[in-house]
Amino acid sequence: MRSHYCGLLNAQHVGQQVSLCGWINRRRDLGGLIFVDLRDREGLVQVFFDPDLTDMFAAAAELRNEFCVQIKGEVRARPDSQINKDMATGEVEIYASALTILNKAPALPLDFNQNNSEEQRLKYRYLDIRRPLMSDRLKFRAKVTSFVRNFMDSNGFLDIETPILTKATPEGARDYLVPSRTHKGQFFALPQSPQLFKQLLMMGGMDRYYQIVKCFRDEDLRADRQPEFTQIDIETSFMTAPQVMQVTEEMVVSMFKSMLDVDLGTLPQMTYLEAMRLYGSDKPDLRNPMQFVDVADLLKEVDFKVFSGPANDPKGRVVALKVPGAAEKVSRKDIDTYTAFVGIYGAKGLAWLKVNDVTQSLEGIQSPVAKFLTADIVSEILSRTSAQNGDLIFFGADRAKVVCEAMGALRLKIGEDLGITQPGWKPLWVIDFPMFEENDDGSFSAVHHPFTSPLDTAAFLATETGALELGSLLSNAYDMVLNGTELGGGSVRIHTPEVQAKVFQLLGISDEEAAEKFGFLLEALRYGAPPHAGLAFGLDRLVMLMTGATSIRDVMAFPKTATAACPLTDAPGFANPQQLADLGIAVVVKADAAH
């Protein structure tokens, strides 16, 4: 039916007869002359209907937006005065000789020229995808996956599929469970990642594996999370962490150069501790130059418990964040807004200091907490932050986790609000993560996952259970970060039974629980498992950043809403009683939920 795509026609096609298929993007009736813009996935082209061809002209008069049509005709050059420089096909138009209306369309539930709610866009996603912006993003995504496959294939990696129906394993989020009909009362789990299977592939001798794979996590959603998402999954044997980082960095740098003509250069490296010290985040946005300055040692003796309490608490932190030239730009109302903002992250308040004259120390500042400070303390704060006249300094004082999260978020918000964050691309590697982090109940969990190798294996094996020792252990892990977003994370994996058993011990996983959940992995480690390492990129996040989208939902064909529902298909839905009976499942509705 189609000989050419609309958006690919140009002056080289002048004189050719073409057959085009697509949708009416716009119809213009200019007093006896009818023009339409015909659209397909590659773009638009203008079509002219001659009133002398009466039957076809009458049919063209019936055309409305989003009618699906086939148009045959001749490609003609537009006169110089009528060339449309805003269209890729603006040098040509189609002189129509035949029109077939393949399907009509009623008034649309979406307005292509105005903003529609996300609920509307997802309910009528098949219409939303017709928009050039959405179409271009999905085409770009396809090019990214093609680039990845070509790069990995050319570097000796094998594309190997892993199971979707598998066993539930603790990897940091709730599993989606699938009941088994043949094993009533038992459940499969959808994989949060192919982690264990790709390690088993290494043990099977498939020393370079990759897969573009669906992963599933039943977790609270936000702009860069979905219940089902796509990973570029990579695993290698007999390669060190630097070697894995080198090949994956080459892939990403080459991708940006090839697809965006952007040179990311050589990615700098920063330790986790340095990232948290300077930015309060393990995925710092380096486009924003503002950094934290620790000042707890200066405030231990002040008569202000908001400062002195955290300053004397081993788990507390007090930082200063200097905002250059903001003293006059940020009003008291703005400060109140920022105070409420950090409250979202658990901060109890937001102290501040405006610098009027750095040479006057205490007399040269304006601050509601000035009465608690001495001239020496103020002088040292101004010196450490390299403050200048007209700067504004915010303080975060609380438990270290709260300070990092609240002040880290404030840093990003102020950077955007005041134009401090610069455009462009700032990638880096964050390395040397802690192996474990402490939970609110005092227990510990793995920072990456419980199969991550320690940086110093001998020291790790000598470690006894205890908060101090656990907190000091580093893992051989690495994350690639771009503009404040984690593109991918990976690590050297554990490849010996004794190290893996030690991790389970420190995480409070009993031998019985380890055998029940990971028995197959522990068994496989006994049979000559090779040293192996890998990394997984978030494909959706990568495409989101590269296309300038603000949510991964805008680079996925059929995403879920923020409540993990699908307005298009009305999923999830109720199962019929017979299906539930076959599975041996009964649905119990609570009394208050029945109303």
Side-chain angles (χ1 to χ4, degrees):
M1 295 179 69
R2 167 192 282 145
S3 65
H4 297 75
Y5 280 109
C6 298
L8 300 183
L9 294 173
N10 55 48
Q12 295 179 354
H13 298 99
V14 170
Q16 294 185 23
Q17 294 293 322
V18 297
S19 177
L20 307 177
C21 295
W23 291 267
I24 302 299
N25 193 67
R26 185 170 64 141
R27 182 180 72 89
R28 303 184 300 284
D29 194 333
L30 306 180
L33 299 176
I34 295 178
F35 294 87
V36 301
D37 290 338
L38 186 65
R39 185 190 73 246
D40 58 23
R41 77 174 203 192
E42 297 298 333
L44 302 169
V45 69
Q46 177 173 285
V47 180
F48 168 67
F49 291 95
D50 190 334
D52 292 337
L53 302 176
T54 54
D55 290 344
M56 184 181 65
F57 191 82
E62 298 180 14
L63 296 176
R64 297 294 183 269
N65 286 3
E66 299 310 307
F67 274 32
C68 184
V69 300
Q70 179 191 36
I71 295 175
K72 296 180 179 180
E74 180 185 350
V75 182
R76 294 185 175 180
R78 292 197 200 187
D80 290 345
S81 60
Q82 296 179 16
I83 291 175
N84 186 345
K85 295 182 179 180
D86 295 328
M87 289 177 64
T89 60
E91 293 183 312
V92 299
E93 67 179 5
I94 308 303
Y95 179 83
S97 58
L99 165 65
T100 303
I101 297 177
L102 302 173
N103 211 337
K104 296 182 178 182
L108 300 180
L110 294 183
D111 187 336
F112 280 22
N113 299 313
Q114 296 182 16
N115 291 327
N116 301 283
S117 70
E118 186 173 60
E119 188 79 11
Q120 286 176 297
R121 290 178 53 212
L122 295 185
K123 183 174 178 63
Y124 299 99
R125 190 61 159 185
Y126 45 87
L127 296 178
D128 191 44
I129 288 173
R130 291 184 194 173
R131 291 190 304 128
L133 179 63
M134 276 300 304
S135 176
D136 288 346
R137 286 171 176 168
L138 293 180
K139 288 190 295 180
F140 188 90
R141 181 183 176 121
K143 292 177 182 177
V144 169
T145 57
S146 178
F147 183 96
V148 169
R149 293 187 191 282
N150 289 334
F151 181 90
M152 300 308 289
D153 291 346
S154 66
N155 280 272
F157 286 81
L158 302 176
D159 183 358
I160 306 175
E161 293 184 349
T162 53
I164 293 297
L165 294 177
T166 183
K167 189 179 183 71
T169 56
E171 291 189 40
R174 288 181 295 272
D175 289 306
Y176 278 101
L177 299 179
V178 180
S180 170
R181 178 184 59 82
T182 53
H183 302 277
K184 284 187 170 60
Q186 298 184 53
F187 295 82
F188 295 103
L190 302 182
Q192 294 185 32
S193 78
Q195 182 61 47
L196 296 182
F197 286 106
K198 65 184 179 185
Q199 289 190 244
L200 293 170
L201 285 170
M202 296 304 102
M203 298 169 198
M206 302 290 102
D207 63 345
R208 290 195 174 196
Y209 144 95
Y210 83 96
Q211 187 182 187
I212 298 177
V213 60
K214 281 287 188 185
C215 303
F216 307 86
R217 294 179 186 176
D218 185 6
E219 59 185 349
D220 296 333
L221 305 183
R222 59 190 184 201
D224 57 354
R225 283 184 179 174
Q226 278 279 290
E228 53 180 315
F229 57 96
T230 306
Q231 278 187 183
I232 303 169
D233 209 44
I234 301 167
E235 197 76 9
T236 69
S237 296
F238 310 114
M239 289 179 69
T240 63
Q243 290 172 322
V244 172
M245 293 164 67
Q246 179 183 0
V247 71
T248 52
E249 178 177 323
E250 181 185 347
M251 181 183 75
V252 171
V253 170
S254 300
M255 181 189 300
F256 271 74
K257 184 62 178 175
S258 172
M259 302 187 68
L260 297 180
D261 196 24
V262 169
D263 186 1
L264 294 179
T266 300
L267 274 59
Q269 296 185 14
M270 180 182 297
T271 67
Y272 170 89
L273 291 177
E274 186 77 348
M276 298 303 291
R277 183 178 71 83
L278 295 177
Y279 306 104
S281 171
D282 60 1
K283 47 182 182 294
D285 188 346
L286 300 186
R287 297 174 302 166
N288 181 335
M290 293 188 294
Q291 297 179 345
F292 294 173
V293 174
D294 284 292
V295 294
D297 60 307
L298 302 177
L299 301 170
K300 289 184 176 182
E301 305 301 326
V302 299
D303 189 21
F304 185 47
K305 290 185 177 179
V306 171
F307 281 169
S308 61
N312 288 283
D313 184 349
K315 295 184 179 181
R317 190 178 186 192
V318 185
V319 303
L321 178 67
K322 183 192 73 175
V323 186
E328 297 301 323
K329 298 177 183 177
V330 177
S331 66
R332 286 298 301 270
K333 182 179 179 182
D334 293 330
I335 292 175
D336 291 341
T337 299
Y338 290 139
T339 301
F341 176 77
V342 296
I344 297 172
Y345 300 88
K348 301 179 183 65
L350 184 64
W352 55 272
L353 179 159
K354 288 188 176 182
V355 182
N356 298 322
D357 187 346
V358 292
T359 65
Q360 296 297 311
S361 184
L362 185 58
E363 299 301 319
I365 68 164
Q366 176 188 352
S367 172
V369 299
K371 61 185 177 181
F372 301 110
L373 306 177
T374 66
D376 288 343
I377 291 174
V378 171
S379 294
E380 184 61 25
I381 290 173
L382 297 179
S383 175
R384 288 189 189 182
T385 58
S386 300
Q388 302 294 320
N389 294 345
D391 290 348
L392 174 62
I393 299 174
F394 287 109
F395 295 91
D398 210 307
R399 289 182 296 115
K401 182 178 181 181
V402 172
V403 169
C404 289
E405 291 182 355
M407 297 301 288
L410 179 67
R411 171 182 170 272
L412 296 178
K413 181 170 176 57
I414 292 176
E416 292 295 330
D417 290 350
L418 302 187
I420 296 172
T421 301
Q422 298 300 306
W425 305 96
K426 288 288 187 178
L428 77 154
W429 286 103
V430 178
I431 62 173
D432 297 350
F433 284 79
M435 282 202 71
F436 307 104
E437 59 186 350
E438 188 174 359
N439 302 316
D440 292 337
D441 62 1
S443 63
F444 284 83
S445 56
V447 170
H448 272 68
H449 52 64
F451 318 108
T452 301
S453 179
L455 196 59
D456 186 335
T457 301
F460 172 74
L461 289 173
T463 298
E464 298 295 333
T465 302
L468 181 61
E469 293 89 354
L470 287 174
S472 66
L473 291 172
L474 299 181
S475 65
N476 203 348
Y478 36 84
D479 283 0
M480 185 186 290
V481 176
L482 179 63
N483 293 0
T485 296
E486 178 195 330
L487 284 187
S491 66
V492 174
R493 322 303 189 187
I494 294 168
H495 73 282
T496 61
E498 57 268 28
V499 176
Q500 188 64 73
K502 183 73 172 183
V503 168
F504 290 155
Q505 175 195 341
L506 294 178
L507 290 175
I509 299 175
S510 67
D511 292 343
E512 293 76 14
E513 183 182 359
E516 194 274 326
K517 292 181 175 178
F518 308 106
F520 60 95
L521 175 68
L522 296 174
E523 179 75 3
L525 290 174
R526 296 176 55 236
Y527 294 101
H532 54 287
L535 185 146
F537 288 103
L539 175 64
D540 312 294
R541 291 182 184 181
L542 178 62
V543 177
M544 177 184 74
L545 287 175
M546 295 182 77
T547 60
T550 57
S551 165
I552 62 172
R553 292 191 289 275
D554 285 333
V555 296
M556 303 171 77
F558 300 104
K560 306 293 188 294
T561 65
T563 58
C566 176
L568 174 64
T569 62
D570 286 331
F574 293 101
N576 66 52
Q578 185 58 52
Q579 286 177 304
L580 294 176
D582 290 343
L583 295 168
I585 292 177
V587 175
V588 179
V589 179
K590 293 183 179 180
D592 57 349
H595 298 287

